[in-house]
Amino acid sequence: MNIDFEIIVFYALAATGVVSGAMVLIARDVVRVAFWLLSSLSAVAGLYLHLGADFLGLTQVLVYIGGILVLILFGIMMTQRDPGLVKLERKSTRSMATGVGVSLVLFLVLASVINSVGWASRRPASATPTTQDLGTALLTDYVLPFELISVLLLVVLCGAAYLARRRVEQSHA
Amino acid sequence: MPDVGLKAYLMVAAALFSLGMGVVITRRNAIAVLCGVELILNGAALNFVAFNRYSAPAGRLDGQIFTIFIIILAAAEAAIALAILLNVFSITDSVLIDEADSLKE
């Protein structure tokens, strides 16, 4: 009974993620695209939790939904001063059909590759909290990438602030 | 004991990746293209976590570390991309990617 519940949760999350992803592809309004992306990313966070990656699931919620999605909504807000742009976004249903076709063909190729490999089906051990092990790994085996990415984040912070700043006239200087 | 298995997760990740690729190829709005990139990155990250769960030795979390780095890089990429997009918008007054073509002239 317990196991059946796990499988039901997996299929619910997978269906939510894939259907929302498809709506990202076919929705017309860019605001709706952002909100379908929210639904899809939430489902992926649920899948992380389902895989026993508790820290990653919460990081996904915090960074993607709390950070990136809000950033995207701000981007939409600041660049859509003309409502006509929303209508212009897709010229025809032909480009939508192209997108659906490309996705379908790509997925079929990937699915046939996945099906052709006999994956090892090791029954995973029951999930344990991962936060402590992640912290230990980040400060021992992965300390160099960890430090590099902190420098990268600093550079991105300065770069984004520099790129997005308002240009001022320098005549008085 | 029944279990959904590794293959089911790989299928979901492949579906997310394909949908993201379709979005990147066919969308005209640059912000929607950015959403497609996020879908692609999520598909890849889901693969890492699933492989870590099903085929890593006990106690190893290398796949999850990779996913952490993917999430950080996605955040950095979104911030820079939106800053560039705001610049393009202030110059061309449009966020449609096929209208930012002044280098062709």
Side-chain angles (χ1 to χ4, degrees), chain A residues 3 10 24-25 27 41 44 48 50-51 60 64 71 79-80 88-90 103 107 122-123 125 133 142 163, chain B residues 2-3 7 9 18-19 26-29 31 38 42 45 53 56 61-62 69 73-74 82 87 89 95:
Chain A
I3 302 296
F10 169 78
V24 171
L25 181 59
L41 297 180
V44 173
Y48 287 165
H50 194 259
L51 278 165
Q60 170 95 357
Y64 264 106
L71 206 61
T79 55
Q80 300 277 330
L88 267 176
E89 209 264 310
R90 279 199 190 279
S103 300
F107 176 71
R122 191 176 65 85
R123 172 77 194 150
D133 291 337
Y142 292 95
L163 283 174
Chain B
D3 183 33
K7 198 182 272 185
Y9 285 103
S18 319
L19 289 168
T26 57
R27 281 272 173 191
R28 294 180 70 218
N29 190 318
I31 295 176
E38 303 300 339
N42 262 278
R53 176 89 161 124
L61 292 174
D62 305 73
F69 285 131
L73 287 176
L82 279 172
N87 268 344
F89 181 71
V95 285

Side-chain angles (χ1 to χ4, degrees), chain B residues 1 10 13 17-18 22 24 34 47 51 59 62 67 81 98 104-105:
Chain B
M1 278 205 294
L10 296 185
F17 179 85
S18 319
V24 169
L34 199 62
N47 262 357
F51 275 118
D62 305 73
T67 303
D98 45 1
K104 280 199 321 199
E105 288 150 14

Side-chain angles (χ1 to χ4, degrees), chain A residues 17-18 21 40 44, chain B residues 12-21 39-40 42-43 46:
Chain A
V18 173
S40 187
V44 173
Chain B
V12 176
L16 286 179
F17 179 85
S18 319
L19 289 168
M21 193 62 95
L39 273 183
I40 291 179
N42 262 278
L46 186 59

